Amino acid sequence: MTMHLFTFKGIVISTTLMYLTTMNTHTPSARDIIGSSPLIAIENEAPPKLIVDPPLPEPLAQGRVFIQYRTENLRVLPVFGKGALDVSPRIGHIHITVDDAPWHFVDASGETIILVGLEPGLHKVLIELADPTHKVITSETVKFTLPDPKKSS
């Protein structure tokens, strides 16, 4: 965006306020929020991305782990198998591994990950974005400390 700057101080302020007002009233389009339509195939899809937030503080203080995540360029759906690799826009799911366990669980809901029953202390959760054949595309690890409820009260 190009802004014209004027030497007269009052005009500069007016231009700046008009610019800020315009920026604050912009309503994002549906595409801005939810991305491309899932009804139209995408040529040359961009690589998928996984964005993971740290656990929500309030539930964590109560001994529950709520981890929000989102994806870009991949829809999380419960569709599996080799045939689903050709679906466009791209689909997949996540694998979740807690504290380096030799097993993981699969989630295809796209909703917040919730973990309960962990012991107080340091933990880590590996979240892997996978294609419909379970091939891992990318991953993120979240580390956190669950407080000891006996020591915090």
Side-chain angles (χ1 to χ4, degrees), residues 52-110:
V52 179
D53 291 349
L56 296 176
E58 186 173 311
L60 190 64
Q62 299 168 352
R64 300 181 306 237
V65 183
F66 285 37
I67 301 172
Q68 293 181 295
Y69 72 94
R70 67 180 180 87
T71 62
E72 291 181 4
N73 308 317
L74 182 144
R75 293 177 299 141
V76 175
L77 292 173
V79 179
F80 302 93
K82 206 172 184 178
L85 289 173
D86 295 331
V87 173
S88 178
R90 184 183 293 118
I91 58 175
H93 58 275
I94 60 170
H95 298 168
I96 302 162
T97 305
V98 179
D99 294 334
D100 295 320
W103 51 269
H104 65 262
F105 63 94
V106 172
D107 183 75
S109 72

Side-chain angles (χ1 to χ4, degrees), residues 2-62:
T2 302
M3 288 183 57
H4 298 283
L5 298 178
F6 300 94
T7 55
F8 183 65
K9 194 173 183 178
I11 293 175
V12 172
I13 292 170
S14 297
T15 304
T16 302
L17 287 175
M18 188 169 62
Y19 172 75
L20 292 174
T21 301
T22 302
M23 292 299 292
N24 289 335
T25 60
H26 172 70
T27 302
S29 69
R31 185 184 176 114
D32 290 342
I33 301 297
I34 60 175
S36 300
S37 171
L39 305 176
I40 299 172
I42 300 172
E43 296 290 327
N44 301 319
E45 289 184 80
K49 293 181 182 176
L50 174 65
I51 298 95
V52 179
D53 291 349
L56 296 176
E58 186 173 311
L60 190 64
Q62 299 168 352

